[in-house]
Amino acid sequence: MFDVKSGITKTQFKDAVKKAIICTIMSHPERISDNCINDEEVASILVRFYKKIFRKVYGEKEESKECIDINEVDEIYVIAFDCLYKDDGITPNYVIYQENMLCLTSINALYEILRSKIEDDYCELERDIDGLLNMWSDD
């Protein structure tokens, strides 16, 4: 009949990350310019951050799970906090703080994109079910 989607795939997650990074760069140019970093540096900071999240969510092995479900999407903030930049003894604390604020801003965008994808899948499934229900006759 119809295919029930089981969550966010790795490819969909990477696409959502790309959109979240672009959204962060485009929607906060003043924060970026105030911190004297350019778009490429912001992208680099966020890519490293999201790489950590990706590994935590999907595991480091290629054969690990293919999808995350809605509950795991809701846990994205917990995972993100664990992946924030930490004091490495070299990088000044204000730089770590700025990078983490950028990451936290971006994780909001990622969360909204992932939730939207799940809601779209739900709406598609609901339409499929409505179509089947409409085929019932009043016998």
Side-chain angles (χ1 to χ4, degrees):
M1 282 188 206
F2 49 86
D3 182 29
V4 178
K5 305 211 182 204
S6 58
I8 304 292
T9 66
K10 291 177 182 181
T11 301
Q12 291 169 331
F13 187 86
K14 288 178 182 178
D15 289 343
V17 164
K18 183 176 19 175
K19 289 178 186 175
I21 291 172
I22 291 167
C23 179
T24 302
I25 291 170
M26 300 302 288
S27 62
H28 298 286
E30 71 289 339
R31 177 179 291 165
I32 293 166
S33 65
D34 289 348
N35 293 329
C36 301
I37 54 177
N38 62 35
D39 292 351
E40 288 175 24
E41 291 170 317
V42 170
S44 179
I45 290 165
L46 292 174
V47 165
R48 288 191 318 268
F49 171 67
Y50 281 121
K51 186 175 181 180
K52 293 179 202 176
I53 291 174
F54 183 82
R55 284 186 177 154
K56 284 200 176 284
V57 170
Y58 289 99
E60 296 200 22
K61 295 182 180 176
E62 201 58 38
E63 64 271 9
S64 64
K65 65 181 173 179
E66 286 297 315
C67 293
I68 57 172
D69 63 24
I70 192 164
N71 296 327
E72 290 169 303
V73 169
D74 287 342
E75 295 284 321
I76 201 76
Y77 287 104
V78 174
I79 295 165
F81 276 110
D82 192 41
C83 294
L84 289 173
Y85 292 100
K86 314 266 187 295
D87 184 5
D88 60 7
I90 300 168
T91 309
N93 285 335
Y94 75 91
V95 172
I96 293 170
Y97 172 79
Q98 290 173 340
E99 289 176 348
N100 285 338
M101 292 307 293
L102 185 63
C103 293
L104 290 173
T105 299
S106 184
I107 203 71
N108 286 328
L110 177 68
Y111 178 79
E112 292 302 322
I113 292 165
L114 293 176
R115 291 294 299 184
S116 175
K117 169 69 178 117
I118 288 172
E119 288 172 15
D120 289 348
D121 289 348
Y122 173 80
C123 289
E124 184 178 318
L125 180 60
E126 189 176 38
R127 281 191 298 275
D128 291 344
I129 292 169
D130 282 343
L132 291 172
L133 291 173
N134 288 334
M135 292 182 349
W136 285 3
S137 62
D138 294 331
D139 296 328

